[in-house]
Amino acid sequence: MSIAVVTGASSGIGAATVRQLRSAGFDVVGGARRLDKLREICEPVGARALQLDVTDQESVDAFVAQLDACAVLVNNAGGALGFDPVEQAKDDDWRTMYESNVLGLMRMTRALIPLLEKEDPGHIVNVVSIAGFETYPGGGGYTAVKHAALAVTRTLRMELLGRPIRVTEVDPGLVETEFSLVRLGNAERANKVYEGMTPLTGDDVADAITWAVTRPKRVDIDQIVMRPLDQATATMVHRRT
Ligand code: NAP
């Protein structure tokens, strides 16, 4: 059975991806910092739960040391902090976002390319965002890191050309997960993000990831952009009052 690694597997898109890749027949290893939540997701579906902090090289090394193969790497760990305009930007928020969304993705990819390359083919799926190619007021820190993650993904596609590793970028719009709670710090503000509109679910994104990794091996799905029907751009959202 092919092994799929999913980072950020303790909630949202990552948790749904663990479940769907298991259903598709993968042997799944989920990583995240909150081991209790991770186990709740992984154990019922027979996936392995291994603690992982993608911002910490020692944690990445310890995680990867427990793998003897990897056919699919889903770089999903990350998220946003705050909604401050650039003139009030908090250094720590920007640094933390860069550490998880960009350096974390790089660390996991660098560590797993040797195993991915032994597969026929290996596959890296980066969960980026429409924030990777759009901007919006208050989103300077998050859009900057997702633009960077997208640049790394497209660079990888070129650098790995000729080697047996596929590279896919999945760019969702609004998905209702713990994302807005983490970003805004309380449920009331988080719920307002989805008020009057129907967002995507983690399962919608997991479905796209699972589809991409189960294409014939000659096919590379380069980019999937998916938004709710109620969302045309990062700032244009149809809300029913
Ligand atoms: P979520 O429910 O908050 O999940 C984020 C996951 O990332 C959690 O499992 C969290 O687990 C993990 N994580 C965060 N920092 C980590 C670290 N340093 N090391 C390891 N794991 C870490 O949010 P989500 O919506 O599913 O987000 C998943 C990805 O989709 C993110 O990259 C996000 O930027 C992207 N995305 C989300 C949306 C959206 O609207 N929700 C849209 C586009 C893209 P622990 O806290 O347990 O470590």
Side-chain angles (χ1 to χ4, degrees):
M1 212 187 308
S2 294
I3 294 179
V5 168
V6 181
T7 72
S10 62
S11 76
I13 295 167
T17 303
V18 166
R19 291 190 284 262
Q20 290 200 30
L21 289 179
R22 274 300 290 150
S23 295
F26 287 90
D27 186 358
V28 180
V29 182
R33 294 165 301 180
R34 293 169 297 173
L35 193 53
D36 50 342
K37 289 212 70 179
L38 187 64
R39 284 189 173 135
E40 277 172 32
I41 302 297
C42 292
E43 286 172 2
V45 294
R48 254 201 299 169
L50 297 180
Q51 196 158 36
L52 171 69
D53 181 349
V54 296
T55 70
D56 175 355
Q57 185 62 51
E58 277 182 25
S59 172
V60 170
D61 290 343
F63 181 93
V64 170
Q66 294 175 77
L67 303 172
D68 46 27
C70 176
V72 174
L73 166 61
V74 182
N75 280 311
N76 166 75
L81 288 176
F83 239 112
D84 299 313
V86 175
E87 63 185 322
Q88 281 142 27
K90 295 186 181 67
D91 295 30
D92 280 349
D93 283 355
W94 283 50
R95 200 173 288 119
T96 303
M97 285 189 279
Y98 196 78
E99 273 286 344
S100 57
N101 291 283
V102 186
L103 294 184
L105 177 153
M106 175 278 286
R107 284 191 193 97
M108 289 303 294
T109 303
R110 183 176 62 191
L112 284 172
I113 280 177
L115 292 183
L116 289 161
E117 190 156 26
K118 290 184 185 156
E119 302 284 334
D120 180 32
H123 198 153
I124 300 165
V125 180
N126 290 341
V127 180
V128 188
S129 170
I130 61 167
F133 50 84
E134 295 188 25
T135 57
Y136 54 92
Y142 183 59
T143 58
V145 300
K146 288 302 194 187
H147 274 63
L150 192 145
V152 174
T153 308
R154 292 180 181 181
T155 303
L156 274 171
R157 178 81 173 96
M158 291 191 257
E159 289 179 353
L160 294 174
L161 188 64
R163 292 161 71 184
I165 304 179
R166 309 198 273 195
V167 179
T168 298
E169 148 200 342
V170 179
D171 299 322
L174 284 168
V175 191
E176 191 164 11
T177 60
E178 291 181 12
F179 177 88
S180 293
L181 186 61
V182 172
R183 179 175 209 173
L184 299 167
N186 72 67
E188 198 186 336
R189 291 181 71 201
N191 290 339
K192 279 212 169 312
V193 174
Y194 314 107
E195 205 167 67
M197 58 87 62
T198 306
L200 299 176
T201 66
D203 270 311
D204 294 330
V205 183
D207 181 44
I209 293 169
T210 304
W211 176 76
V213 303
T214 51
R215 293 312 85 212
K217 63 184 185 182
R218 64 182 175 277
V219 178
D220 193 292
I221 303 299
D222 286 352
Q223 182 187 27
I224 298 174
V225 179
M226 54 194 301
R227 306 173 203 252
L229 178 59
D230 286 336
Q231 182 179 32
T233 71
T235 51
M236 285 183 69
V237 178
H238 175 67
R239 296 184 196 274
R240 292 159 202 85
T241 47

